[in-house]
Amino acid sequence: MIWFLTKGRRLNPVYAAFMIVAFMMGIAGALQAPTLSLFLSREVEVRPFWVGLFYTVNAIAGILVSLALAKRSDNQGDRRKLIMVCCVMAVANCVLFAFNRHYLTLITVGVMFASIANTAMPQIFALAREYADNSAREVVMFSSIMRAQLSLAWVIGPPLSFMLALNYGFTTMFLIAAGIFVISLALIFFALPSVARIEQPADVALTQVSGWKDKNVRMLFIASMLMWTCNTMYIIDMPLWVSSDLGLPESLAGLLMGTAAGLEIPAMILAGYYVKRFGKRRMMVIAVSAGVLFYVGLILFHSRTALLLLQLFNAIFIGIVAGIGMLWFQDLMPGRPGSATTLFTNSISTGVILAGVLQGALAESFGHYSVYWLIAGLSVFALILTSRVKNI
């Protein structure tokens, strides 16, 4: 990693800035997301239905706003300026949540701020892709190491989030997140480059009017959506399943998540290193196959040791999909990195929406065990679709 960030004997300051910004914004996001449901139920004092509704509205608004901003970013303007606007909205959102406890305000104004703020990360990755392309750098490894910063942030962020919220209060936690976004904004302003757009050849421009018209993009989107549906259903259900059905300690859920997040980092970096040798499709097929093994393993093995060992397959699955999947979208949509990256992140958001509906309905009607049978089936379907997408 240090070798990659250097040029000759000198540290490459632009690459280092991209890594630091990705890590810091990842930390700020990881401070807010894990305790959001706890904040809504304890501080805002709303029933579970309204907590779920907040997640659904937030995800849908995020998709609509990010698509609109991504289209604009690919067609006109300075992408770096858009990222700074998103950071300002992130600060405003944190301050709003720090001092406001009115549900209607949070689900309207708060969701609007959050929708714009959440566009920052895909735009940062799009800017990084453009910078790497223009400077003739190694795109895959650069993106993989950047994505690893987010995984590292999610190793540190969730336990820090609960510690701050439970010991010092939600106001303190949100204000610290706001401060991190302010520092990120300063780094973006002073350290990240503005990259001039490259005019695409006429044949490329004509064939890429709408990425969704390409059947390979559609298949990859559906496959990615199913992958993230599986992952989110697991994250939602696993803490309840471990304690209620398996009779294992509740603390095990946090250990399993932290173990997977830690193992994702080497998985991402190795994927970036080997992708040239094996190709994106083969790497993604390996990843989704690991996901299938992981979810089938959850059906068959329920001991503490087995669940911990299975996290290796989970890490390979998420680590490769999170990094290579985004690059595959970008390669299938040349000249439109913002739209491609946003399409990838929207596959995640759509998966989150489906996961909440499916997990709640299944767990309530048929029990937690049925959730994992559906997850296993969806992962097999995702594997079939992934294997049929054009290799780039």
Side-chain angles (χ1 to χ4, degrees), residues 112-143:
M112 181 188 69
F113 285 161
S115 299
I116 300 173
N118 290 338
T119 308
M121 194 57 72
Q123 290 297 321
I124 288 173
F125 275 94
L127 181 64
R129 174 67 185 255
E130 290 175 336
Y131 175 76
D133 285 340
N134 283 11
S135 56
R137 301 288 182 176
E138 173 53 60
V139 173
V140 176
M141 182 60 77
F142 180 32
S143 180

Side-chain angles (χ1 to χ4, degrees), residues 9-299:
R9 295 183 178 178
R10 296 181 179 179
L11 182 70
N12 185 329
V14 177
Y15 272 23
F18 272 114
M19 301 300 168
I20 294 170
V21 168
F23 175 72
M24 292 191 66
M25 293 189 67
I27 284 284
L31 280 179
Q32 300 171 78
T35 55
L36 178 58
S37 60
L38 192 65
F39 169 78
L40 291 171
S41 60
R42 286 191 180 181
E43 296 286 307
V44 187
E45 299 180 345
V46 294
R47 294 185 291 109
F49 170 80
W50 299 105
V51 174
L53 180 65
F54 187 94
Y55 277 90
T56 301
V57 171
N58 193 44
I60 293 172
I63 291 174
L64 297 175
V65 170
S66 61
L67 279 174
L69 292 179
K71 183 177 180 180
R72 182 187 184 282
S73 72
D74 284 336
N75 293 333
Q76 58 181 311
D78 184 349
R79 197 183 300 279
R80 189 176 67 116
K81 291 181 180 177
L82 174 59
I83 295 170
M84 289 191 288
V85 170
C86 293
C87 280
V88 172
M89 292 298 102
V91 174
N93 185 56
C94 289
V95 173
L96 178 68
F97 273 74
F99 297 108
N100 190 284
R101 298 296 183 268
H102 188 251
Y103 181 80
L104 186 58
T105 303
L106 296 176
I107 203 173
T108 51
V109 179
V111 163
M112 181 188 69
F113 285 161
S115 299
I116 300 173
N118 290 338
T119 308
M121 194 57 72
Q123 290 297 321
I124 288 173
F125 275 94
L127 181 64
R129 174 67 185 255
E130 290 175 336
Y131 175 76
D133 285 340
N134 283 11
S135 56
R137 301 288 182 176
E138 173 53 60
V139 173
V140 176
M141 182 60 77
F142 180 32
S143 180
S144 296
I145 296 176
M146 272 191 69
R147 186 61 182 78
Q149 306 309 306
L150 296 185
S151 288
L152 180 60
W154 274 86
V155 173
I156 300 170
L160 182 60
S161 173
F162 279 98
M163 185 275 291
L164 290 172
L166 298 179
N167 294 330
Y168 300 98
F170 284 95
T171 297
T172 300
M173 185 200 72
F174 282 119
L175 289 178
I176 290 175
I180 295 174
F181 277 122
V182 169
I183 296 172
S184 300
L185 177 61
L187 283 171
I188 293 165
F189 180 78
F190 289 108
L192 293 193
S194 293
V195 180
R197 304 298 165 81
I198 299 176
E199 291 295 329
Q200 295 298 310
D203 57 339
V204 173
L206 288 173
T207 57
Q208 297 299 327
V209 172
S210 175
W212 191 252
K213 293 181 180 179
D214 186 333
K215 69 175 183 179
N216 291 288
V217 174
R218 291 197 303 270
M219 281 195 295
L220 184 56
F221 179 87
I222 295 170
S224 180
M225 177 191 69
L226 292 175
M227 296 172 205
W228 294 106
T229 299
C230 294
N231 180 62
T232 308
M233 287 177 69
Y234 163 74
I235 290 174
I236 294 172
D237 193 81
M238 184 268 290
L240 304 173
W241 178 60
V242 163
S243 58
S244 63
D245 283 20
L246 301 186
L248 297 171
E250 293 181 354
S251 59
L252 179 61
L255 179 60
L256 295 176
M257 289 184 183
T259 300
L263 291 173
E264 282 173 20
I265 297 173
M268 287 176 188
I269 296 174
L270 288 173
Y273 182 78
Y274 284 107
V275 70
K276 278 192 172 181
R277 181 183 301 180
F278 296 108
K280 293 183 178 67
R281 180 170 63 187
R282 186 177 295 179
M283 293 296 294
M284 288 286 285
V285 167
I286 292 171
V288 186
S289 298
V292 172
L293 292 175
F294 172 61
Y295 296 124
V296 171
L298 292 178
I299 296 173

